[in-house]
Structures are given as C-alpha cells and as structure tokens.
Amino acid sequence: MPLSGQKPPARRGLRRAALVTFAAAGLVGGLVAPNMSSATSAPKPRVEDLQLLAINDFHGNLEPPAGSSGTIKEVDPKTGQVVSTPAGGIEYLATALRQAREGQRNSVTVAAGDIVGASPLLSGLFHDEPTIEAMNKLGLDVTSVGNHEFDEGSKELLRMQRGGCHPTDGCYVDGRTFEGADFKYLAANVTSEKTGKPILAPYWIKNVRGVKVGFIGVTLEGTPNIVTAEGVKGLKFGNEVTTINKYAAELKSRGVNSIVALIHEGGYPASSTYNYDCGAAGQGISGPIVDIAKKIDPAVGAIVTGHTHNAYACSIPDPAGNPRSVTSAASFGRLYTEIDLKLDKTTGTIIRPSVTAANHVVRQNVPKAPDMTALIAYYNKLAAPIANRPLGFIGADINGRGSTDFEKPLGDVIADAQLAGLAAKDKGGAQIAFMNPGGIRSDLVYKASGAEGDGVVTYAEAFTVQPFTNMMQVKTLTGAQIIALLQQQVSGLNAAAPKILQSSAGLTYTLDLTKTDAARIVVPSIKLNGTPIDPAASYRVAANEFLAGGGDGFPAFAAGTDKLVGASDLDLFAAYLGANSKAGAPLVVPAQNRITVVGPGSDQD
C-alpha cells in the first residue's frame, strides 16, 4: 500500500548563514541599496512575497551519502577554519524544507535537474521510483530535466512523469501501479527529432495570488556528449539561451512577466564553502553558466542551476548589466537554497532589487521526517537480500568521488578490475582499461554503513560507486589513437575542464600542467609496462559502453575496431573485490603512481 505522505507543521528554525541581495542599483556593504532618486511621492507598488526553495542533483540519495559525498564545507565560526559538516538525507531534507515553509504565505519548491539517475541501490534498484515518491511527499512543485534523467532513455523519463509499472521489471509495491511524479518535469530544449516539439512541457505557470509566475526548464545543450547514445536516441538538445529567451517571450505574450529559469548547467566558484557569494559582479565564479546568464533575457528574474555539484549564491550581470541571482545547492540533498522574491502586483514582474538568496545546510541534528523514515524502511526491506551481500574487504577508505587528485585511488581499482575481467583472450584480450572519472559516484568507506562490520564492502556500496551497470567493451586502437585519446583528456571539449581518465596498472605517462591543451600530455612518456607506446602498433583497450562510444569528449574511442562486448562494469568490480580481498587480507589503497603530474594541481568535478 502507498506510504503516508503527511506534511507535519514545523517551526521556522534554519536561518541563512549568508545573504546575497541582487539589484540593478549600487552595492553597499554586500547589500544592494535601493534607488532613492525617484520622487518620494511616487506610490509604492503593491507587493506579493514569494519564497522559492531549490535543490539540484539529488541523484536518488534518500539515505545520507557516505564518505565525502555526505559532507559540506563551511567555515567554523569559532576557529575560522574550513570544516566538513555531515549533511544530507531525505529525512532531514524534508524536515528542513517543512521548517523553511512555516509561516510563508507563498512558497514554491523547485529543482534544477538530476533528481534521479546515478542513484544508490536503495533508489536505483527500483528504477528510481522511491525517489519520485519521496519528492512527491517532499512537496516538489517543478524541476528541469538533467542529463541523468536520460540514463534509461526518454521513455523511462516519461514513465517517471506519468507513472506506470516498469516495462521489464513490473511493479514493486504490493502490486500497486507506480503513479509517477506529482511535480512537473520541464524539458524546453529537448525536442523529438520526429515532431520538433519538446518531449515534456517547456514551462509551468504558477498563479501566486493573482501574479502569474513562469518557470522555464532546460538541461545542458551538451547532454548527448555525457549520456549513452541509446539514452538520447531520437532527441535533439537545443541551446540553453536561445530556448529560454524563446519561451520567456512566449510567457510575456501570455501576460506572464515574472519568470524563473531552471537550468541544469552550472559553474565553478572560487571557494568550496557552501555559502560563497562570488562577489558583487560575479567575479568569483567561472564555467558555462556565466556566459549563459549574461545572455538570458532580463525578464528572467532569477536563475536556479545545477550539474556541477557546486554550491553558490551569486550575482551575475544580465544583458543590460544589472545583477541577477544565480544559485546552486551543491548535490545529493546536502543543501537547499532559499530565494525570496517580491512580485509587483500591478506589473506582474519580479522586483529585481528585492531578490535575496542563500544556501542552507541540511544538518542532521533535526528530527527525521517520519513519512520519509517509513519510505526508506519499506524499500530497504525489499532491497536487503541483494544490498547486504558482502563482496570483499578494504583496510581503509578508498576515495573516488572524494579525491581531488587527477589519479583517484578508487579509479585505479576500477580500471584494474576491468582489465582483470577482460584480459583473457576469450574475454577480449584487453591490455589497457580506462574509466571515466565522472562515472565514479562515491567512495569506498571503511566504516560500516550497516550491520556488515567495518571494512566489509557490500553489494549496495559497490552499486553506489558504479550505479550505471554499463556493459563493457574491448576495442582495438592503434598507438596513435591511444595518444590522441590521452590528449583529448585536456583538449577539445575537455580543454577548459580536463577529464582525466583512470587507467589500469601498467599504463604510465606525464601530465604537464605548465603547458596548454594537447601539449599537456608528454607523448614520449606514455608507456605500457615500461615500453613506449608505438603509434603504429595495435592494442586491445577496454572501456564501458559510454566511453567506448566516444562519450565525455573522447571521439578516439569511437574509432576503435573489432568490438567485443563483455560483462557489466559493476559485475567486474564485484568480481575483482571478491578475488583480491578477504578477511584479514583487505584490498589496499593503490599507490597512485600511474600519472606523473608536473605543475600546479587542480580539482576535478
């Protein structure tokens, strides 16, 4: 039977740690001073307040995320030092949002994509139905799609919206048909190749006590570069700015003059602390969202973003040079953003000087929401026989997502697992294996997550690290193509934000960060088992189907020949843990000696 979805009243308990105010006037002490040049006799506008509560990149993290994925960086007010604070979990997020809504006359809860996809086992095992149910209970009103909403293809995304049991696995909850999302998914820039029309609604209009507020939702134009070809089959992804401006004009023609953009694309703030405000003119943030925000119609009064998993509450100038709110709430439900707007009831517009925004930590020292606790318990009971199965042992944390190094310890382990599983001649004869860093979704944490004991790696924990269950492929690449592949890590689509592949043992090279673009790969240093790569020779190279198809900006993979399809990446990872660790002889943390980095280091998202 369906779990109860009550929304208990809560006190207004979490206050903002930082406040950023956006306006078209000058900045004074970090706040925007109102323009006092107009005549004092001018009538004050009739105003309606609107609270927006925003999240992004939840990725099905119903339970508090493990390892570094479950913390937020903030400044300790007592010491002034940056500390990592435990955060996240739907039980705490629900409480925080319910507290934030208390006493508000008008409140809308929004998201900027990737609510599902790349999810831990508790949600992923059930094709993310638990997360959709949780978001319904949470009171989410509207979200843009993100790239991960397409992990299982557009038909599955439509099922998330409209409901219905999974076409292969059927229904999960006591024979009940999955009812789908109560909230609206928006996909303004995702169109069908056949019809040319958006596959889901481009915008949603909320009537706030007589003032119409429009929400336009888009995902990043480059979604096809970071999703499997099957996931985006039959779809086109339009430019974010062109799309938003098109629908902003359409909304205005319908009398909707208050507009908010929900964009699954983001930026990189100069500080990793959650309440970083980027400066009065947005000088402390870089990345795609900066250029996008500067071109979006000034009629859009606030921009909610995601994708980069960063936290910021910034001001970025619009095309007229006026500051505009641009925010992101990190990821995994560790933060939420509170954006307060004032709506002019006469003109129906957002009063831009009134907009304030701040991120709040979803702290774990508040009461758990009982309905979310019940939902988690229900699905944990269903998942337990699979989730709790032990696979292997580790003697210490092996960081993947939590590592800021180009060569990540868990990346080494995963690449080695793929090579081990595909090296046999009848399995593909792989000599090298590569893993994309973005596909490593968590860390392997030594501390027990349940009753399994410290150091035990369960199937659920392995699934959280490798949730896509991509099928592996082995292809023949020439040495020249391998060199090109390594160069594509730091050039082409990856020039601005390098994606350093995780490579299996035996492949070594030097990454020189004092150089630019492809020259950062020192070609003479590229060796396999101590022997320089021969551009004219052929090598068997393993990668998951996403990478092997040229995803993440690696077209050299797609040029490979003699493809052989192997087991899934998760199966190989599980087999490797079982074969290479046991109680008393755990898997050790790799030495990270495959990539020699010259010059300053740099964080990777």
Side-chain angles (χ1 to χ4, degrees):
M1 297 181 62
L3 300 174
S4 62
Q6 74 269 18
K7 295 184 178 181
R11 66 187 184 281
R12 177 81 167 175
L14 298 179
R15 298 310 307 149
R16 56 176 57 94
L19 180 66
V20 182
T21 304
F22 308 91
L27 295 178
V28 179
L31 298 179
V32 176
N35 188 339
M36 302 301 291
S37 62
S38 59
T40 56
S41 60
K44 292 183 178 179
R46 294 185 303 126
V47 169
E48 191 68 51
D49 292 327
L50 174 62
Q51 176 197 61
L52 298 184
L53 300 175
I55 60 173
N56 54 274
D57 298 276
F58 184 74
H59 291 292
N61 279 265
L62 298 172
E63 296 179 298
S68 61
S69 295
T71 63
I72 280 291
K73 291 183 179 180
E74 62 179 327
V75 177
D76 187 320
K78 294 181 180 179
T79 66
Q81 300 296 311
V82 175
V83 297
S84 294
T85 300
I90 196 70
E91 296 161 293
Y92 304 108
L93 177 61
T95 295
L97 293 182
R98 289 164 183 171
Q99 287 179 342
R101 295 185 190 116
E102 179 69 17
Q104 292 291 322
R105 178 178 166 95
N106 307 302
S107 184
V108 177
T109 302
V110 305
D114 278 7
I115 296 302
V116 299
S119 304
L121 187 74
L122 180 61
S123 185
L125 183 63
F126 306 102
H127 296 281
D128 279 314
E129 290 179 18
T131 294
I132 298 298
E133 291 182 24
M135 290 295 147
N136 290 344
K137 296 175 186 296
L138 193 72
L140 181 62
D141 292 297
V142 62
T143 181
S144 68
V145 294
N147 55 286
H148 282 286
E149 261 82 21
F150 296 93
D151 284 347
E152 294 189 49
S154 59
K155 288 183 179 180
E156 178 66 0
L157 170 58
L158 293 177
R159 189 180 76 88
M160 292 292 100
Q161 178 70 87
R162 300 168 182 171
C165 296
H166 191 271
T168 302
D169 295 336
C171 299
Y172 297 113
V173 184
D174 298 331
R176 172 173 61 86
T177 299
F178 172 60
E179 296 177 356
D182 293 341
F183 54 91
K184 293 291 291 185
Y185 262 117
L186 304 180
N189 68 331
V190 186
T191 56
S192 165
E193 289 182 347
K194 290 183 178 180
T195 67
K197 296 179 180 180
I199 63 169
L200 288 163
Y203 55 76
W204 175 70
I205 301 172
K206 171 74 173 178
N207 192 316
V208 182
R209 300 182 187 274
V211 180
K212 295 178 181 178
V213 182
F215 296 85
I216 303 170
V218 300
T219 186
L220 70 155
E221 183 179 9
T223 292
N225 297 321
I226 53 177
V227 176
T228 61
E230 189 63 27
V232 295
K233 186 177 180 180
L235 303 176
K236 288 186 177 181
F237 292 78
N239 178 265
E240 303 94 338
V241 172
T242 302
T243 303
I244 291 170
N245 289 347
K246 169 187 173 181
Y247 286 109
E250 183 172 316
L251 283 167
K252 286 186 286 184
S253 73
R254 295 183 58 180
V256 181
N257 296 316
S258 289
I259 304 173
V260 176
L262 309 176
I263 307 176
H264 190 69
E265 179 61 289
Y268 302 92
S271 170
S272 61
T273 54
Y274 80 90
N275 53 352
Y276 182 63
D277 69 8
C278 310
Q283 64 269 30
I285 186 170
S286 60
I289 198 60
V290 176
D291 187 54
I292 291 171
K294 287 180 177 179
K295 295 177 180 177
I296 289 176
D297 190 325
V300 175
I303 300 173
V304 178
T305 76
H307 187 55
T308 60
H309 291 204
N310 287 308
Y312 46 84
C314 293
S315 166
I316 297 176
D318 67 13
N322 297 322
R324 176 165 50 193
S325 168
V326 180
T327 63
S328 174
S331 61
F332 305 151
R334 296 172 294 163
L335 294 178
Y336 72 92
T337 310
E338 182 177 8
I339 307 165
D340 295 315
L341 313 172
K342 291 188 181 299
L343 310 177
D344 188 323
K345 298 194 73 170
T346 301
T347 64
T349 59
I350 294 172
I351 303 173
R352 288 270 293 274
S354 74
V355 181
T356 62
N359 280 323
H360 303 290
V361 179
V362 176
R363 301 185 188 278
Q364 298 170 353
N365 58 357
V366 298
K368 296 179 179 181
D371 55 335
M372 298 301 182
T373 300
L375 183 146
I376 289 172
Y378 184 90
Y379 280 104
N380 265 330
K381 184 177 180 180
L382 292 181
I386 296 173
N388 298 333
R389 178 163 59 92
L391 298 179
F393 301 84
I394 56 174
D397 289 355
I398 303 181
N399 287 332
R401 197 75 176 174
S403 172
T404 58
D405 296 329
F406 283 122
E407 181 185 344
K408 305 177 187 303
L410 191 50
D412 286 355
V413 172
I414 292 171
D416 286 350
Q418 294 174 353
L419 181 62
L422 300 170
K425 188 174 181 179
D426 64 335
K427 301 295 184 182
Q431 299 164 273
I432 304 168
F434 288 110
M435 174 63 190
N436 54 310
I440 306 170
R441 305 305 298 183
S442 187
D443 307 322
L444 281 184
V445 179
Y446 177 76
K447 184 178 179 180
S449 59
E452 75 275 10
D454 291 346
V456 179
V457 180
T458 64
Y459 183 85
E461 291 166 337
F463 186 97
T464 299
V465 170
Q466 291 259 264
F468 301 107
T469 58
N470 282 321
M471 302 308 292
M472 293 298 300
Q473 296 183 5
V474 183
K475 290 184 172 182
T476 297
L477 272 67
T478 66
Q481 288 172 325
I482 291 173
I483 293 169
L485 179 71
L486 295 176
Q487 291 172 330
Q488 286 164 7
Q489 298 176 113
V490 290
S491 61
L493 293 177
N494 299 321
K499 287 188 173 73
I500 304 303
L501 297 171
Q502 310 300 287
S503 54
S504 54
L507 185 74
T508 57
Y509 66 94
T510 296
L511 174 64
D512 188 347
L513 297 179
T514 66
K515 295 181 169 56
T516 59
D517 294 320
R520 285 181 277 190
I521 302 299
V522 182
V523 173
S525 72
I526 304 172
K527 297 179 180 179
L528 180 60
N529 299 321
T531 301
I533 287 286
D534 180 356
S538 294
Y539 302 85
R540 294 291 282 168
V541 180
N544 62 54
E545 60 186 318
F546 169 63
L547 268 183
D552 258 358
F554 293 100
F557 267 126
T561 60
D562 301 321
K563 179 177 71 176
L564 184 145
V565 177
S568 76
D569 50 8
L570 178 59
D571 286 345
L572 294 183
F573 186 44
Y576 185 82
L577 289 169
N580 291 275
S581 67
K582 58 183 180 180
L587 193 69
V588 299
V589 180
Q592 295 176 264
N593 54 8
R594 303 171 193 186
I595 305 173
T596 300
V597 180
V598 176
S602 177
D603 288 357
Q604 270 187 297
D605 188 88

